[in-house]
Amino acid sequence: MNAERRPMLAANWKMHKSVPESLAFVRMWSRRVAEGAALPDPTQVELVLCPTLPALWPVAGLLDAMGVAVGAQNVDVGTEGAVTGGVSGHLLAEALATHVIVGHSERRRLFAESDAVVAAKAAAAFSAGLTPIVCVGESSAERQAGETQGVVARQLTAVLNAVPEGDGRLVVAYEPLWAIGTGQGAVPADANQVAGWCRALIAAAWGPAANRVRVLYGGSVTGDNILGFWHADELDGALVGGASLELESWLAMVRTVAPAPSA
Ligand code: PEP
């Protein structure tokens, strides 16, 4: 955690929850906050909820009233055209998304998104005024072969070459594939080391602007282990999948990272 960078806690709901279920979650969260549940000051901690695409617009107003940002989970390149099924960054922004996850390992694997495609999507997010949360991370085999640094560097370099530097919007999420949804998260010290490599790479490309880029950790984060990542020097928060789907476990994480109210 570094005072120059506002920490982020982001929820990735993937293809979970219907629109009514998403609305019910957010309404119940809002009610719990009204009853006293912790909600960090948005100037101190940035909370981002990334529901399914059809739920973006329905939940955005409620979340905005709570100071919580809304993110999409994918963006297509280009602004409009003959792209069946495509959703541009501009359309996401019209649906009131302010953030978008780019290059999640599930999209790289299931939709064969290459580093070049991920980089183009990150650039598309920037062009639409969205904050891209770009996922990088190695597989178990790559880790065992000692290739973590090289894989992350390759994935990140493609993005750094494609997006504008310096406005502090880029967010990187280090998500080792072997830690996603497995219950076997990385050791905070190891995630911190990879985040340090990411920042060194960004600094080599962008100079001091690297200090403004946030690097998150994602992979089996829960209320029980989040603090280890939250307090790591090079990390600036967490991207959470499974543990964000259930209100009580989400509230536990939000409570854990919410700074104590000043007396
Ligand atoms: C993710 O898929 O982005 C993720 C971090 O999932 P989980 O927290 O379930 O490991």
Side-chain angles (χ1 to χ4, degrees):
M1 200 64 56
N2 175 297
E4 264 190 273
R5 301 184 288 272
R6 180 168 51 137
M8 174 185 284
L9 176 61
N12 174 13
W13 279 359
K14 311 190 183 189
M15 202 164 67
H16 294 293
K17 295 193 192 292
S18 65
V19 174
E21 286 167 348
S22 303
L23 265 171
F25 181 107
V26 175
R27 285 195 183 116
M28 185 56 77
W29 182 12
S30 170
R31 192 174 315 159
R32 293 290 299 276
V33 168
E35 291 166 0
L39 188 68
D41 176 343
T43 64
Q44 295 198 51
V45 175
E46 186 171 27
L47 294 180
V48 186
L49 189 67
C50 303
T52 62
L53 184 61
L56 284 178
W57 171 276
V59 300
L62 278 170
L63 289 174
D64 186 52
M66 295 167 69
V68 177
V70 182
Q73 301 171 16
N74 181 38
V75 60
D76 285 291
V77 297
T79 48
E80 71 172 307
V83 185
T84 302
V87 181
S88 69
H90 294 90
L91 290 170
L92 295 176
E94 281 190 347
L96 301 179
T98 51
H99 295 60
V100 60
I101 298 170
V102 176
H104 191 282
S105 59
E106 287 153 14
R107 293 215 55 95
R108 290 181 191 257
R109 178 169 52 87
L110 298 169
F111 299 90
E113 290 188 4
S114 64
D115 292 339
V117 167
V118 171
K121 290 187 168 197
F126 266 93
S127 306
L130 301 170
T131 294
I133 302 171
V134 178
C135 299
V136 298
E138 83 287 2
S139 67
S140 174
E142 288 163 339
R143 179 180 179 78
Q144 277 162 24
E147 292 169 358
T148 299
Q149 188 169 10
V151 169
V152 168
R154 191 199 72 225
Q155 294 171 334
L156 188 52
T157 300
V159 173
L160 295 177
N161 289 337
V163 305
E165 65 180 76
D167 76 355
R169 234 186 314 153
L170 177 66
V171 179
V172 177
Y174 170 54
E175 295 212 321
L177 276 56
W178 47 269
I180 295 178
T182 60
Q184 301 290 320
V187 172
D190 291 349
N192 195 56
Q193 181 180 43
V194 177
W197 293 338
C198 291
R199 198 171 314 286
L201 196 73
I202 301 167
W206 290 0
N211 287 329
R212 300 177 58 205
V213 175
R214 287 170 288 179
V215 183
L216 316 181
Y217 167 74
S220 298
V221 173
T222 66
D224 291 336
N225 65 12
I226 192 168
L227 266 191
F229 301 106
W230 201 260
H231 289 316
D233 294 347
E234 295 289 350
L235 289 168
D236 307 296
L239 176 57
V240 184
S244 70
L245 288 169
E246 203 263 317
L247 183 61
E248 292 310 319
S249 66
W250 175 242
L251 287 180
M253 284 182 284
V254 172
R255 186 171 52 242
T256 303
V257 304
S262 42

